[in-house]
Amino acid sequence: MYDFDFIRPASVEDAVAALATDPEAIAFSGGQTLMPAMKQRLASPSAVVSLTGIAALKGLRDEGGRLWIGAATTHAQVAREAADSYPALASLAGRIGDPSVRARGTIGGSLANNDPSACYPAAVLGSGATVVTDRREIAADDFFEGMFTTALEEGEIVTAVIFPRPARARYEKFRQPASRFPLTAAFVAQFDDGVRVAITGASEGGVFRWTEAERALTGNFAPESLDDIAPPDAEGMISDLHGSGAYRAHLVKVMTRRAVANA
Amino acid sequence: MPKDGGIGSSPKRREDIRFLTGTGRYSDDINLHGQAYAHFVRSDVAHGRILSIGTEAAMAMPGVIRVFTARDFEGAGGIPCGWQITSRDGSVMQEPKHPILAEGKVRHVGDPIAVVVAETLAQARDAGEALEIEIEDLPAVIDMRSALAEDAPLVHEDLSSNLCYDWGFVEENREATDRAIREAAHVTTLELVNNRLVANPMEPRVAVGDYAAHSDESTLYTTSQNPHVIRLLMGAFVLNIPEHKLRVVAPDVGGGFGAKIFHYAEEAFCTFAAKALRRPVKWTSSRSEAFMSDAHGRDHVTRIELALDADNNFTALRTETLANMGAYLSTFAPSIPTWLHGTLMAGNYRTPLVYVNVKAVFTNTVPVDAYRGAGRPEATFQLERVIDKAARELGVDPIALRRQNFITEFPYQTPVAVQYDTGDYHATMDKLLEISDHAGFEDRAADSRARGKLRGFGISHYIEACGIAPSNLVGQLGARAGLYESATVRVNATGGLVVMTGSHSHGQGHETTFAQVISDMIGIDADMVEIVHGDTARTPMGMGTYGSRSIAVGGSAMVRAAEKVIAKAKKIAAHLMEAADSDIELADGRFTVAGTDKSVAWGDVTLAAYVPHNYPLEDIEPGLEETAFYDPANFTFPSGAYGCEVELDPDTGEVTVLGFTAADDFGNVINPMIVEGQVHGGLAQGIGQALMENCAYDENGQLISASYMDYAMPRAADLPMFRVDHSCVTPCTHNPLGVKGCGEAGAIGSPPALVNAVLDALHRGGHRVDHIDMPLTPARVWTAMQG
């Protein structure tokens, strides 16, 4: 690890200011990706601006029937406190990483990083959630722009995520054997106006919506609805040591079916 | 019934108290006054010519004491190889120099180029980044077949090719084996890969060098399984330090699995630099460094043919293996695919003709050497896989086919040099079928089918050669060292005693088991026995721990030394009781004159030995301390039957290990709990190899499984509750304890059982898959199912 300054602001304004004054500074919200990278000397920020000391970024609350989650809320807290209000989301949060990751990692950190194998992006895209930042609201469909890329501007901080609550939902993931990140995972959510299916882990473009499946499931929310649908094109799927693009494409369908069956 | 705390009982491991309460003393816990820190700058390319190393900027960095490159080691030797193999044509193997720091070329990712020594580790790392190293990339050879091609780039330009040796065994059997295969009623052929593994002990390697100017003595603290071997190799061959001026200490060591047998460049570096700088120098491997600098294991590519007659008797076996040596020859590397592999190719079976060909190949990869089982897992895997395939081709039960060909009479001279002293393979197979509830398998398979899953059962029956080995035999086989073991038993005046053993414990629990043996022999509490190991200044010259040799060879040496102690103590007791030596009996810590009620306590005798007021000084010396060196007459031959039950998810290819059963014959067992723990660990590693672990390079020689993000280690949740049994006992006939060794069995017997189980499940599901190379990841299984 290289030397760096550690800044722990008490307000969003102070955090934004700290990031604005130093272009080499980086926002830090749990650090479950950033810390290992810094220890390996793969990241060398001049300053780390920790967001987890900002009370306004923490906690869960009902907001007109929608679920508001502060960006600096840990996975463990979501797993505990969303169990009644959004069980599928709580279940997803409770299966991220291991207990120490869940005790430190936060939803805002996960979304801002947008790892193509992260769990949360699937829930946010699959729920059609709204990402709230220090300066605007971004629809999930506009937020994820590809592997490790989001609509966030330089110095923009995610402050909260607002989830509409579906009638039924479920997240099913197939773990990569080594890292235990999703090799491919599917988040399925049924709303009054239709079904959303978001896939993570599989695509070189990061999290994506599987629209063919959404159409079929909107007609009939049952695993059999997927029988006649081909898996997504293997082209563009991640192909590596742990599985080919064809295998991941196949898993997209398997995991989606399971998510529907278990929703 | 075993005596409480004695042989056959299961006292808890005394060493666990310090391991589990954080009071162990590992090499990294050693911090010496004035210590400096070494940071190794390693190659990030697989093959390249070093054009220049600019050190000026690094030298100017804060805290930097000195930057070392190959130039500083011009007077030093290379890291030696401890075994020489002779090729089929009579030539000796090609043996390139293995420099401490790269000379002229880098030959694998991780090859050390330079070392920065600084006041702090962070300063050393910072300065390492300031080194200006210019490397011209050369084409890398990674795949073994390509490495042997005529026009392949040479890993070592002073060698004629990338072929280290071409070994035939037994060469006299070759023609007869070829003929038998030509004339066989049936021949089953299988091509397979034994996947490359990284040992990943929980404690990474550490070296701390120290130098005492007043005595001109060097000390190395290191994470080693055999400190005396390191002292000999490093002192005599690398740094030219006489053994009486060099002390090697291997304190608590957190797992070795073979990777800590070998002498490594970092050890020689820290010892050398401590003297050069007149300061202690410490290096602690990071996990990332461990992946690219600890010797890897396995990495064989094999074609095996099994010939059978019309009655399904095995008539001949022929195997051809390419064995990856990596870029340099690690300490025992040449012996693993040869003498620890070829000699086991007969397995448990009466195959009259066996011929083994091994070509060892240099590639631009990390050196490959012994990893738990070392050669024997590779032999067992191919044999137990080809037998299963033969059974399927012939439409016979794989268990019956094995039973029909089992060796049943002992001693048995195999066609591959070794002679098995004892064994009862039907007994272990019977035991396995019983404790795995094999009879109930079909019901369980039906239950799986009803849930849309495929269940399979796979078996393997292994043999291994442990307790390596008779020195005169291994000398003939090319070993450059003896393979005896040593022990000194020092009895103190008040009756307690210290055993200084040449064996080394790095998780095996010797401090408990060795004390149990002494406790039994004398009849005193195990608490009165201290076991000392891992320090060349305290223990007699010993060869260390690997190849499941500690109790069989080290334990035997200790028994011999203790016997000498007891013999002398009896003389003292005889004097004290005015009786004849031959009338003295020792039991429960008392010496008794046979047939009388006259007795003296163990403590009375030990006190007399050191306070010899009333003592036979004209016949024997005072004191009570004896040393023995034990060189066994033969290897020991543990064997066992392993059964694996899996359930396969046809949607994803995911394999779940539902049950794993091991019925082993380890001969006599000192501490059943510790033996079971050893088997559990071995099974975890074997299942890890078969199911998840894979050390992978890309075609440019980049290590793509270079961290736990991509190298899959098994976790507790990946493993079932094991059922293990060691009640089938045929004691070893040639060592005093009748023991065989148990450390590697689990890793040897389990991979073929697991692969056989998965293939059984696939066939039951209608998928006619002959073989899948390990690890059987979901992706590989699913891909195989697609046809």
Side-chain angles (χ1 to χ4, degrees), chain A residues 34-257:
Chain A
L34 184 57
M35 249 189 319
M38 290 172 67
K39 284 165 84 172
Q40 295 265 1
R41 295 188 158 205
L42 299 172
S44 51
S46 57
V48 155
V49 181
S50 175
L51 306 178
T52 49
I54 303 172
L57 296 185
K58 289 180 151 181
L60 297 82
R61 62 172 183 260
D62 180 75
E63 210 175 76
R66 299 193 301 169
L67 175 63
W68 182 97
I69 301 179
T73 309
T74 63
H75 310 328
Q77 193 179 349
V78 174
R80 274 195 313 272
E81 297 182 16
D84 293 330
S85 55
Y86 196 166
L89 184 69
S91 163
L92 173 149
R95 286 179 282 154
I96 297 172
D98 59 20
S100 77
V101 168
R102 293 195 289 273
R104 307 291 302 181
T106 65
I107 185 168
S110 171
L111 295 177
N113 188 48
N114 193 20
D115 188 307
S117 299
C119 295
Y120 263 133
V124 170
L125 188 62
S127 304
T130 302
V131 179
V132 186
T133 76
D134 61 276
R135 58 200 72 164
R136 56 182 169 150
E137 294 194 352
I138 309 170
D141 286 322
D142 301 325
F143 182 80
F144 302 102
E145 295 188 341
M147 216 182 245
F148 298 108
T149 314
T150 67
L152 290 174
E153 294 164 358
E154 206 62 36
E156 186 174 12
I157 293 173
V158 177
T159 57
V161 187
I162 302 171
F163 288 90
R165 289 164 53 191
R168 283 190 290 177
R170 178 69 189 171
Y171 179 65
E172 288 289 343
K173 73 173 160 182
F174 194 79
R175 289 177 172 83
Q176 193 255 56
S179 69
R180 323 274 163 145
F181 275 65
L183 188 71
T184 292
F187 192 96
V188 170
Q190 184 188 28
F191 294 91
D192 292 344
D193 58 349
V195 172
R196 291 175 71 102
V197 177
I199 306 295
T200 187
S203 169
E204 288 174 348
V207 67
F208 71 97
R209 283 173 68 183
W210 187 22
T211 47
E212 293 91 329
E214 289 181 351
R215 272 195 298 276
L217 292 166
T218 298
N220 177 20
F221 192 74
E224 306 78 67
S225 300
L226 299 169
D227 285 353
D228 298 328
I229 298 181
D233 195 346
E235 194 74 22
M237 294 288 157
I238 298 169
S239 189
D240 63 12
L241 190 59
H242 307 288
S244 62
Y247 180 59
R248 281 183 167 84
H250 167 77
L251 285 179
V252 167
K253 184 165 168 176
V254 175
M255 291 300 119
T256 305
R257 271 188 75 102

